[in-house]
C-alpha cells in the first residue's frame, strides 16, 4: 500500500507532486489546477493487487489531459475503470463528451487521448493491462462509452468498494487473489456489453454466483426470497442455480440463513434493548416466526437474541 498526501509537501512543491502522481496513475501528460498552484490538494492511496492497481484518490478541481502522441510509454497499454464518489465534470474520450459524477462508472483507454475536467473530486479506480482482459482491443474500445450501462456495473462497483475497505488488511497470496477476482470482474464487465454474443454469455455465466450473492444480500429482508425467486431474477433454472452453488461449495438456503442471522446479530448488538425489538429485527431480516429466529440464532451463536443484545449493552 502506498499513501500520498499533498498536505505533507511544501506548498511550492505540491503541484509537481500531483503532476507526477497523475502521470503514474492515469498516464496523464498535463495537469492544470483550477486555482493557484500552491492550493492544489491530492490524497491518494494505492494498492497493487497482483496484476491490478487500485486507487482511492481525492483531488481539488482540475483538468487532466493525455495527448494524442503520448502512446509510447514503457508501461503496457492499460484500461482504467473509475467510480465517482464526489465531484461532477466532463470526460472527453474516444470522440464523446461524457458527463461524470457521483455514483457513475466510466472507463478510459490509456492508449488514446482524453481530457478530464472535474471539480473537487473523490474516486475509486481499478487499472488493468489491456492484454490481461483477453478481449480484442477494438472490441474493448467499442464498449467503453457504455461501460456504466453494463448489467454487471453495480456488481463491479460493489466489488471495488469492498476492495477499498479490505485491501489494507491483506498481504501476499490473499492480496493477489483479490486482484485476480478484480481482473475477472473487469473482463466480465467489458465483455458483457460487446457485440460478441459469445463473450456476453460467458461474462454473465462466469459471474452468475457473484450476481446471485449480491442479489441475495440486497433482498435478505424479503421473507419470500428462495431458490425459485433467485433463479427467475437471473433467468436460469433452479437446477442450474443449485449446480453453480454446488460447484462453489455453497449450500444456498443455509447461506441465506447465515447472512440473515449475521445482519440481525449486528443490528441487535447496536440496538438498545426495548420491548418488541427482537421481533422487529427478526422480521426486518426475513424471519416471519420469532420462535424460529430464536432457535436459529441460538444454534449459530450459542445464546438467545436477548442474551446477545444484553451482552453488547452492559
Amino acid at each position: 500500500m502506498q499513501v500520498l498526501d499533498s498536505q505533507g509537501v511544501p506548498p511550492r512543491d505540491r503541484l509537481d507532486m500531483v503532476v507526477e502522481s497523475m502521470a503514474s496513475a492515469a498516464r496523464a501528460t498535463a495537469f492544470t489546477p483550477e486555482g493557484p498552484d500552491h492550493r492544489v490538494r491530492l490524497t491518494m492511496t494505492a494498492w497493487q493487487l497482483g496484476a491490478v492497481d487500485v486507487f482511492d484518490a481525492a483531488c481539488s478541481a482540475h483538468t487532466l489531459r493525455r495527448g494524442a502522441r503520448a502512446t509510447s510509454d514503457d508501461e503496457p497499454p492499460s484500461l482504467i475503470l473509475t467510480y465517482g464518489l464526489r465531484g461532477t465534470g466532463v470526460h472527453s474520450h474516444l470522440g464523446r463528451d461524457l458527463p461524470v459524477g457521483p455514483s457513475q462508472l466510466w472507463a478510459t483507454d490509456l492508449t488514446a487521448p482524453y481530457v478530464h475536467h472535474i471539480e473537487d473530486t473523490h474516486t475509486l479506480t481499478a487499472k488493468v493491462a489491456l492484454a490481461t482482459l483477453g478481449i480484442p482491443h477494438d472490441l474493448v474500445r467499442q464498449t467503453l462509452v457504455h461501460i456504466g450501462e453494463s448489467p454487471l456495473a453495480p456488481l463491479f462497483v460493489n466489488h471495488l468498494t469492498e476492495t477499498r475497505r479490505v485491501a489494507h488488511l491483506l498481504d501476499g497470496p490473499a492480496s493477489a487473489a483479490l486482484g485476480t477476482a478484480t481482473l475477472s470482474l473487469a473482463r466480465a464487465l467489458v465483455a458483457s456489453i460487446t457485440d460478441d454474443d459469445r463473450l456476453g454469455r460467458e461474462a454473465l455465466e462466469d459471474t452468475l454466483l457473484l450476481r446471485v450473492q449480491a442479489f441475495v444480500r440486497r433482498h435478505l429482508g424479503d421473507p419470500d426470497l428462495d431458490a425459485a425467486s433467485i433463479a427467475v431474477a437471473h433467468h436460469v433454472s433452479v437446477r442450474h442455480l443449485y449446480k453453480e452453488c454446488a460447484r462453489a461449495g455453497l449450500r444456498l438456503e443455509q447461506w441465506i440463513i447465515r447472512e440473515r442471522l449475521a445482519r440481525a446479530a449486528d443490528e441487535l448488538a447496536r440496538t438498545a434493548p426495548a420491548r418488541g425489538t427482537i421481533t422487529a429485527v427478526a422480521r426486518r431480516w426475513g424471519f416471519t416466526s420469532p420462535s424460529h429466529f430464536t432457535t436459529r440464532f441460538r444454534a449459530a451463536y450459542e445464546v438467545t437474541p436477548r442474551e446477545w443484545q444484553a451482552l453488547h449493552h452492559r
Side-chain angles (χ1 to χ4, degrees):
M1 181 174 72
Q2 183 180 13
V3 180
L4 302 172
D5 190 344
S6 61
Q7 289 298 105
V9 177
R12 66 179 181 276
D13 298 328
R14 285 177 186 170
L15 182 59
D16 289 341
M17 173 262 199
V18 174
V19 169
E20 183 179 346
S21 301
M22 290 299 188
S24 175
R27 310 309 294 165
T29 54
F31 176 92
T32 307
E34 284 292 290
D37 292 356
H38 68 278
R39 291 192 177 181
V40 67
R41 303 186 321 277
L42 172 67
T43 58
M44 180 186 292
T45 306
W47 297 267
Q48 185 172 9
L49 307 174
V52 178
D53 293 322
V54 173
F55 304 92
D56 179 338
C59 190
S60 53
H62 64 273
T63 297
L64 199 62
R65 291 180 174 85
R66 178 170 175 80
R69 297 182 180 179
T71 58
S72 59
D73 303 308
D74 293 334
E75 181 182 283
S78 300
L79 173 74
I80 57 175
L81 299 160
T82 305
Y83 179 63
L85 298 171
R86 184 183 72 242
T88 58
V90 177
H91 188 66
S92 301
H93 184 48
L94 299 176
R96 180 176 176 182
D97 296 333
L98 178 70
V100 295
S103 302
Q104 284 184 270
L105 179 69
W106 65 92
T108 310
D109 176 355
L110 295 184
T111 69
Y114 67 82
V115 178
H116 183 72
H117 177 76
I118 198 161
E119 63 184 32
D120 188 59
T121 182
H122 185 189
T123 57
L124 296 178
T125 299
K127 182 179 180 181
V128 301
L130 284 164
T132 63
L133 293 177
I135 301 174
H137 194 177
D138 60 332
L139 282 182
V140 173
R141 280 201 170 185
Q142 291 172 19
T143 69
L144 297 193
V145 295
H146 303 293
I147 204 78
E149 302 166 18
S150 165
L152 299 182
L155 179 62
F156 184 81
V157 166
N158 182 69
H159 174 82
L160 195 58
T161 304
E162 286 299 298
T163 296
R164 167 64 183 89
R165 186 177 66 84
V166 304
H168 68 286
L169 303 174
L170 305 178
D171 196 7
S175 177
L178 182 58
T180 299
T182 306
L183 179 59
S184 296
L185 272 179
R187 180 185 185 279
L189 176 70
V190 174
S192 67
I193 51 174
T194 65
D195 292 333
D196 188 317
D197 291 339
R198 180 185 60 81
L199 283 175
R201 289 193 301 271
E202 287 179 357
L204 292 175
E205 184 64 24
D206 290 346
T207 59
L208 175 59
L209 188 59
L210 289 173
R211 290 186 289 119
V212 164
Q213 289 175 311
F215 176 86
V216 167
R217 290 186 177 110
R218 291 196 304 270
H219 295 85
L220 285 172
D222 181 358
D224 295 324
L225 181 70
D226 59 11
S229 63
I230 295 168
V232 168
H234 292 84
H235 310 290
V236 297
S237 67
V238 172
R239 180 179 179 182
H240 185 68
L241 174 63
Y242 277 130
K243 180 180 177 181
E244 286 300 305
C245 290
R247 184 181 299 174
L250 184 71
R251 297 176 62 190
L252 183 61
E253 285 82 3
Q254 295 303 312
W255 177 73
I256 292 174
I257 290 173
R258 287 198 304 272
E259 288 290 304
R260 283 173 165 163
L261 288 172
R263 299 294 182 89
D266 180 64
E267 185 173 346
L268 288 171
R270 293 182 285 103
T271 306
R275 185 179 180 86
T277 299
I278 292 172
T279 298
V281 169
R283 287 178 177 167
R284 194 147 42 241
W285 294 110
F287 292 95
T288 56
S289 167
S291 61
H292 178 244
F293 171 64
T294 298
T295 299
R296 287 287 193 173
F297 196 98
R298 180 186 288 141
Y301 296 98
E302 299 184 344
V303 292
T304 66
R306 193 170 303 282
E307 290 168 341
W308 174 269
Q309 194 176 36
L311 284 169
H312 286 82
H313 289 274
R314 282 179 181 171

